[in-house]
Amino acid sequence: MKFLYLIWSNLKRKKLRTVLTLLSIVVAFILFGFLSAIKQALAGGVAMAGQNRLVVRHKVSIIQSLPQSYKARMERIPGVALATHETWFGGVYQDPKNFFAQMPVIPEEFLDMWPENILPPDQKQAWLQTRTGAIVGRKTAERFHWKVGDRVPIQSSIWTKTDGSRLWEFDIVGIFDGSNKNTDTTPLFFRYDYFDEARVWSKGQVGWYVVRIKDPEQAGEVANLIDKEFENSAWETKTEPEGAFLQAWAKQIGDITTITASILSAVFFTILLVTGNTMSQSVRERTGELGVLKALGFTSGQTLSLVLAESCLLAVLGGGIGLGVALMLISRGDPTGGMLPLFYFPTLDVLTGIAFGLALGLLAGVFPALQAMRLRVADALRRM
């Protein structure tokens, strides 16, 4: 720490160059923050998946429906504790850009299957007693300023009612919260009995089933038993862990992890070159001064440490500012208005960003530092 003033003075020598390099690093780490949040939003549902839950869908495609009668047959299979179903509704509120997930469910089974969705007891009772009742996640309720008692019209792009309309109206009887920040609080859930009675086609059919198993270690065995139960039927099934199902859903967009890693690799490689060039120029300009320091008694190791410390200070300072700005902007909420339900900057990625900053400083400064360490006093003083 006693050489901090010397290091800081070296950074201030060429203020414009230092500021531009610092801003480049800041922008890179802001991009890192937003890409981490987007990756979390698109692929983070795997983290909230229950280890004791399986998803059963049509073998051909998830858009193919399954009979409602499958539920009773699944619950007779050894190892199955509970089976319930969901169906994609595909609606929007007022404007096509106001998209969020809506699904018809059986209330009691839904709340039992997903205990991470926290709903007050009085609102649960209201849902059970209100045929057109719906519950909505806190994030969507705040997005549209909904409150309990509101009547909400949802225009479906898929389901037509018996009166020929695709405009469905629901009474908001509850707003649920998540037990942790990985819980998706954007969907709206309404009663399947109301939905099935009011729709024109596919009555008695559902989108997919979610099955809770008694022992997570027997997930593979139970999944095979479920698929064998409906083998050679008109509606063959594919059963997989909930995490794998959510991961496959996210990969319809693409391999999110690979995409973000590729972008960040290109960005950080460019910033590494910029920072390394800045440090190399700085060392070349101070050749004479470094020679004087060595003549005064600074060892080669101390010279190496000074240059590395300067590079690390620049990188960590820029990285810290960038991560701070990214965290502040991301904490304001999803910039898409709710289409990314789990949009936040994970703590692990923040720590990874700090490590990246330190690694950037070391890599950018190592070659200029070695150059300074190997500098001979006579050669350095001759260049003054």
Side-chain angles (χ1 to χ4, degrees):
M1 293 298 293
K2 65 180 179 179
F3 298 120
L4 183 60
Y5 177 77
L6 179 60
I7 295 169
W8 186 248
S9 297
N10 288 331
L11 287 175
K12 293 193 297 181
R13 179 186 300 270
K14 297 287 186 179
K15 294 183 177 63
L16 180 61
R17 183 175 65 196
T18 300
V19 168
L20 291 177
T21 304
L22 188 68
L23 287 175
S24 299
I25 298 172
V26 168
V27 171
F29 277 87
I30 291 175
L31 178 62
F32 169 79
F34 271 91
L35 285 176
S36 297
I38 291 171
K39 181 184 73 174
Q40 175 66 25
L42 295 176
V46 178
M48 69 180 181
Q51 294 182 348
N52 64 339
R53 292 195 293 253
L54 303 175
V55 175
V56 184
R57 63 173 177 84
H58 196 286
K59 188 175 183 178
V60 176
S61 170
I62 194 171
I63 65 173
Q64 302 288 106
S65 59
L66 296 172
Q68 189 182 359
S69 58
Y70 273 19
K71 169 181 161 57
R73 294 173 63 181
M74 286 182 193
E75 290 181 334
R76 290 197 296 266
I77 294 173
V80 173
L82 175 67
T84 190
H85 54 75
E86 296 181 316
T87 304
W88 187 254
F89 187 69
V92 296
Y93 173 64
Q94 294 183 336
D95 190 281
K97 67 181 181 181
N98 293 336
F99 171 82
F100 60 99
Q102 314 99 24
M103 282 166 282
V105 297
I106 299 176
E108 303 96 321
E109 296 175 358
F110 167 80
L111 294 172
D112 192 10
M113 183 67 74
W114 285 277
E116 59 267 32
N117 294 325
I118 310 300
L119 186 68
D122 59 326
Q123 296 180 7
K124 174 184 176 181
Q125 193 61 33
W127 195 21
L128 297 177
Q129 295 174 353
T130 309
R131 192 168 181 78
T132 57
I135 63 170
V136 64
R138 179 72 60 184
K139 190 170 182 179
T140 296
E142 292 176 349
R143 176 186 175 190
F144 297 123
H145 308 290
W146 292 345
K147 61 185 183 300
V148 173
D150 286 351
R151 191 167 181 80
V152 175
I154 303 292
Q155 182 75 31
S156 177
S157 60
I158 304 172
W159 304 103
T160 304
K161 296 168 63 177
T162 52
D163 62 5
S165 169
R166 288 192 175 181
L167 184 66
W168 297 68
E169 292 186 318
F170 305 103
D171 296 299
I172 303 298
V173 296
I175 297 175
F176 67 88
D177 294 289
S179 59
N180 57 69
K181 63 181 180 180
N182 276 332
T183 304
D184 184 4
T185 58
T186 61
L188 178 143
F189 298 100
F190 57 96
R191 293 176 50 148
Y192 176 81
D193 53 0
Y194 165 65
F195 168 70
D196 197 44
E197 180 183 293
R199 61 177 166 171
V200 172
W201 52 279
S202 291
K203 289 181 181 290
Q205 295 188 349
V206 301
W208 62 88
Y209 284 90
V210 180
V211 173
R212 187 170 69 213
I213 56 178
K214 297 175 183 178
D215 185 358
E217 293 184 359
Q218 295 182 338
E221 181 182 343
V222 175
N224 288 332
L225 289 174
I226 292 173
D227 290 340
K228 285 182 180 179
E229 174 71 19
F230 307 110
E231 197 172 29
N232 298 321
S233 70
W235 299 277
E236 291 188 292
T237 62
K238 178 180 179 181
T239 306
E240 56 193 344
E242 187 179 34
F245 172 78
L246 294 172
Q247 194 169 44
W249 188 283
K251 282 189 174 181
Q252 293 182 71
I253 303 172
D255 191 336
I256 305 303
T257 302
T258 301
I259 292 172
T260 53
S262 300
I263 295 173
L264 289 174
S265 297
V267 170
F268 278 106
F269 180 71
T270 304
I271 296 303
L272 176 63
L273 295 180
V274 171
T275 309
N277 182 61
T278 298
M279 293 306 304
S280 295
Q281 287 183 334
S282 178
V283 168
R284 284 197 299 270
E285 291 169 356
R286 302 202 315 269
T287 299
E289 295 178 15
L290 291 172
V292 171
L293 289 177
K294 285 194 170 186
L296 291 174
F298 275 70
T299 65
S300 295
Q302 287 177 320
T303 307
L304 175 76
S305 299
L306 279 174
V307 177
L308 276 179
E310 183 180 335
S311 176
C312 287
L313 178 61
L314 181 63
V316 171
L317 182 61
I321 295 173
L323 290 174
V325 172
L327 196 59
M328 180 182 67
L329 294 175
I330 291 169
S331 65
R332 293 182 178 180
D334 176 8
T336 65
M339 293 186 67
L340 300 177
L342 300 177
F343 187 80
Y344 67 91
F345 199 172
T347 302
L348 180 60
D349 286 355
V350 175
L351 296 176
T352 301
I354 295 173
F356 276 167
L358 184 59
L360 176 65
L362 291 172
L363 290 173
V366 64
F367 291 110
L370 289 173
Q371 180 185 354
M373 182 185 73
R374 295 168 182 165
L375 189 65
R376 297 173 57 186
V377 176
D379 293 337
L381 295 178
R382 189 179 303 116
R383 298 178 191 177
M384 293 184 66

